[in-house]
Amino acid sequence: MKHFLTVFFFLLLSLSSHSQGLLQAKDYFTEQDSLRGSITPERAWWDLNFYDLKITIKPEDKFISGSNTIKYTVLEAQQILQIDLQPPLQIEKVTQDGEELVLRSNINAHFITLKKEQKKGDKNEITVYYSGTPRAAKNAPWDGGFSWKKDSNGKDFVATSCQGLGASVWWPNKDHMYDEVDSMAISVTVPKGLMDVSNGRLKSVEENETTTTYNWIVANPINNYGVNVNVGDYVHFGEKYPGEKGTLDMDYYVLKDNLEKAKEHFKDAPKMMKAFEYWFGPYPFYEDSFKLVEVPYLGMEHQSSVTYGNQFMKGYLGRDLSGTDWGLKFDYIIIHEAGHEWFANNITYKDIADMWIHESFTTYSENLFIDYYYGKEAAADYVIGTRKLIQNDRPIIGAYHVNNEGSSDMYFKGANVLHTLRHVVNDDEKWRSILRGLNKDFYHKTVTTAQIENYISKAAKIDLSAFFEQYLRTIKVPVLEYHYDGKELKYRYTHIVTGFAIPVSVSSAGKQLWITPTAEWKTSILKGDIATFKVDRNFYINQKEVAN
Ligand SMILES: [Zn+2]
């Protein structure tokens, strides 16, 4: 009973969260969705090189101001360039080589006419100056923006989150995922007595009259929604982690009052690093370090500064999503959000319709963490335990080119699909080499679902096109229909897409048998009692006994 209530409570929580922002179902799309979600002609002709973002935050007025200098390479001679910034923030001016430029605005999208002739191969830059009262987060991180909070001592505690909504909710940029900036600088000015923690490494701190400026440098490519500012009365502790690529700096920033709690609780961080380097390969951002940063919301996978708000509890705010108690062995936010360093920050979707690449693999990573420390059966208990949260309401993949995510099934169904795939591959060393290979071949890259599908099919030496079609693009769960006449087992798949024919492990009276059903009836010899006939629980496939 306890487990049922736990799961039910989470389901309510997750549904209410998702229905307000990220992951909400949408029936129609607007011009703004296309301007955000597609590679418009005004985006396609230039390649991002560097952002120099400078921002001043005034918590007492909930006001920000600053500039972003955008360096780019001209791929094709064009004169109009699109930059995104969401109202109520306003662009004050845009300059190139000191000259002010004319812009035409269409709500979030701003089209800038460049005066200087843009020649193929040239490296140019523009600076966008902006200010205003940014959108306040309604339900961070799902419905994001700026979270303006106070800590228990009454000090300002401020953070940004913007996945889906877009980084243009708080700073001007090329707000599409296909083009990641190669590196960036983030300079954040805050009132004296507060500290900003952003991505990458802290290069310098400038003391001004009433404010302090924190200058952060990100050495690696970073996606827009991964960029963040976190402002609070932070204290720091850290450790040197001996990792696969050498010594990794792991740094932790928490509110002053939580230091002792965090020192004990964040022991999950090096444990996470050990398990995930084993399964996925080296942490992808050694140059930028790894950080956990306390924030006034649940958490988010901000690259190299993973944000943390799980209240120093095990599980998901103290609850186990799987209902098996394995989920109480670790802090969900530390494990899940850090898992995104490999799947989201290292391998990043080009289009948010393919968000499963982030969430399915990362939700799946939770069970690999359990596998590493508690073994394969415990891990299977956990991931299979989350199956009851699958809704099969819409496909996992969303609509392309309109900034649209698929179903929230990308979490628990996605994890179970990958768990199924591990058992289809049926060779754990090969499976691990596929997961590590993905992170090596797509290192610091933006990708499509097709690239991931093809990579896994090729590496596994199995044509998985129908498998992915079934689970990612339909809501049908395959059914293994069977009939046993005392001697022969007859079986076939129903509720499948054309060509779905994955091998599946079944058992009867303790004996295991591999069969490869298709849409046509097939026959195998089976000895034993049909009452005990079972599809191996590791396969996300339903079974149904039918009359001959
Ligand atoms: Zn996630």
Side-chain angles (χ1 to χ4, degrees):
M1 198 58 189
K2 173 178 157 268
H3 292 160
F4 171 76
L5 284 175
T6 305
V7 166
F8 188 63
F9 183 73
F10 167 73
L11 197 59
L12 284 177
L13 178 88
S14 89
L15 286 174
S16 64
S17 306
H18 292 156
S19 63
Q20 288 168 38
L22 198 61
L23 303 174
Q24 73 186 118
K26 229 175 157 179
D27 303 330
Y28 66 95
F29 299 102
T30 64
E31 183 191 21
Q32 286 297 312
D33 293 328
S34 296
L35 289 173
R36 245 317 291 296
S38 65
I39 304 169
T40 61
E42 294 81 7
R43 281 176 174 149
W45 66 268
W46 52 285
D47 179 52
L48 269 174
N49 301 139
F50 188 76
Y51 285 135
D52 187 0
L53 176 64
K54 293 181 163 62
I55 174 171
T56 298
I57 300 172
K58 293 183 174 162
E60 71 275 22
D61 303 324
K62 296 182 173 148
F63 182 87
I64 63 171
S65 60
S67 64
N68 188 18
T69 296
I70 302 165
K71 299 188 183 191
Y72 62 91
T73 303
V74 179
L75 302 174
E76 190 197 320
Q78 295 283 337
Q79 293 299 125
I80 300 177
L81 179 150
Q82 178 182 343
I83 290 295
D84 305 278
L85 183 70
Q86 300 178 30
L89 289 175
Q90 285 198 326
I91 293 183
E92 289 164 358
K93 64 174 177 177
V94 183
T95 62
Q96 183 157 61
D97 301 335
E99 276 200 85
E100 201 169 328
L101 303 169
V102 174
L103 74 153
R104 178 178 66 80
S105 296
N106 183 345
I107 311 179
N108 301 330
H110 308 276
F111 298 93
I112 299 153
T113 303
L114 302 164
K115 290 183 189 171
K116 178 175 152 186
E117 192 186 347
Q118 306 289 304
K119 294 188 201 126
K120 189 175 174 176
D122 279 2
K123 290 190 184 303
N124 293 328
E125 64 180 62
I126 58 164
T127 302
V128 182
Y129 297 86
Y130 76 111
S131 64
T133 305
R135 180 188 203 270
K138 289 181 186 155
N139 183 26
W142 303 281
D143 198 355
F146 259 85
S147 296
W148 304 101
K149 305 281 183 187
K150 301 270 186 191
D151 70 13
S152 54
N153 298 316
K155 293 210 173 191
D156 287 302
F157 191 23
V158 177
T160 55
S161 59
C162 55
Q163 189 183 17
L165 182 62
S168 53
V169 74
W170 68 275
W171 58 287
N173 61 82
K174 184 188 212 176
D175 209 357
H176 192 289
M177 298 288 287
Y178 86 101
D179 190 6
E180 272 188 11
V181 77
D182 302 330
S183 59
M184 79 180 284
I186 308 164
S187 297
V188 184
T189 301
V190 297
K192 260 196 201 310
L194 295 174
M195 181 184 188
D196 168 70
V197 183
S198 287
N199 315 76
R201 288 187 186 267
L202 184 60
K203 203 181 112 203
S204 61
V205 179
E206 296 164 47
E207 292 297 343
N208 318 308
E209 210 172 306
T210 58
T211 59
T212 309
T213 302
Y214 294 87
N215 297 308
W216 294 85
I217 295 283
V218 183
N220 286 301
I222 183 166
N223 64 53
N224 289 340
Y225 83 82
V227 177
N228 69 159
V229 297
N230 304 292
V231 180
D233 184 19
Y234 287 124
V235 289
H236 164 259
F237 65 104
E239 60 191 296
K240 304 272 182 204
Y241 178 81
E244 282 196 15
K245 242 174 96 172
T247 302
L248 172 65
D249 293 313
M250 295 184 72
D251 293 292
Y252 312 113
Y253 294 87
V254 295
L255 292 178
K256 202 172 277 168
D257 287 357
N258 293 332
L259 180 61
E260 291 315 312
K261 249 192 282 182
K263 277 185 173 168
E264 185 55 36
H265 194 80
F266 283 4
K267 286 178 180 165
D268 268 2
K271 276 182 79 178
M272 170 281 297
M273 197 56 74
K274 198 170 179 199
F276 287 169
E277 285 206 326
Y278 171 81
W279 281 109
F280 302 145
Y283 171 71
F285 308 104
Y286 269 69
E287 304 77 6
D288 287 325
S289 80
F290 172 85
K291 294 181 287 303
L292 282 177
V293 188
E294 190 179 353
V295 287
Y297 62 88
L298 187 58
M300 183 40 88
E301 64 253 30
H302 297 121
Q303 182 174 311
S304 76
S305 57
V306 168
T307 50
Y308 177 85
N310 202 31
Q311 299 172 22
F312 307 98
M313 290 196 275
K314 294 291 185 185
Y316 183 107
L317 290 170
R319 297 189 298 274
D320 174 18
L321 303 187
S322 74
T324 62
D325 284 352
W326 289 114
L328 297 175
K329 295 284 187 191
F330 60 93
D331 181 308
Y332 173 90
I333 290 297
I334 295 177
I335 304 309
H336 178 95
E337 304 306 337
H340 278 305
E341 294 280 27
W342 286 264
F343 292 96
N345 298 336
N346 188 35
I347 306 175
T348 307
Y349 56 69
K350 272 190 202 299
D351 190 308
I352 198 167
D354 292 334
M355 189 172 160
W356 77 280
I357 297 166
H358 296 194
E359 296 304 344
S360 300
F361 281 94
T362 300
T363 304
Y364 177 67
S365 78
E366 297 158 24
N367 106 91
L368 292 181
F369 176 85
I370 296 172
D371 187 306
Y372 190 83
Y373 290 104
Y374 305 101
K376 205 170 169 176
E377 284 307 304
D381 285 349
Y382 176 80
V383 67
I384 293 165
T386 62
R387 256 183 218 166
K388 60 177 82 66
L389 300 172
I390 298 173
Q391 301 175 66
N392 280 312
D393 55 345
R394 313 183 270 138
I396 283 178
I397 292 184
Y400 290 97
H401 313 304
V402 283
N403 196 44
N404 175 250
E405 312 91 26
S407 165
S408 60
D409 279 345
M410 69 179 80
Y411 290 82
F412 308 114
K413 181 178 170 183
N416 273 283
V417 168
L418 291 169
H419 183 70
T420 300
L421 191 49
R422 173 186 185 170
H423 292 273
V424 172
V425 170
N426 195 27
D427 176 341
D428 284 350
E429 263 321 291
K430 188 193 259 185
W431 180 239
R432 187 164 78 99
S433 78
I434 291 172
L435 296 171
R436 291 177 67 101
L438 282 166
N439 276 284
K440 191 160 168 273
D441 280 34
F442 299 119
Y443 181 73
H444 293 178
K445 284 199 168 67
T446 62
V447 300
T448 62
T449 290
Q451 285 173 288
I452 299 296
E453 283 186 30
N454 293 340
Y455 181 93
I456 299 176
S457 278
K458 214 172 139 193
K461 296 191 174 72
I462 306 170
D463 179 0
L464 293 165
S465 46
F467 175 88
F468 285 117
E469 183 69 21
Q470 173 88 27
Y471 288 114
L472 299 179
R473 298 183 186 89
T474 83
I475 58 172
K476 292 188 286 194
V477 181
V479 177
L480 177 69
E481 286 192 350
Y482 64 97
H483 171 77
Y484 185 59
D485 65 4
K487 275 185 283 181
E488 285 181 339
L489 176 75
K490 289 188 170 161
Y491 54 87
R492 68 170 182 182
Y493 280 137
T494 59
H495 296 84
I496 52 167
V497 301
T498 307
F500 184 91
I502 61 159
V504 59
S505 161
V506 296
S507 67
S508 182
K511 286 200 188 73
Q512 198 204 15
L513 177 73
W514 277 92
I515 56 176
T516 306
T518 65
E520 307 300 322
W521 285 105
K522 285 187 173 181
T523 304
S524 288
I525 301 300
L526 179 80
K527 289 197 174 70
D529 175 10
I530 197 61
T532 64
F533 180 83
K534 261 201 187 94
V535 169
D536 182 336
R537 68 174 184 144
N538 294 302
F539 291 75
Y540 181 46
I541 290 172
N542 292 327
Q543 67 180 73
K544 187 182 173 194
E545 188 175 7
V546 294
N548 199 8

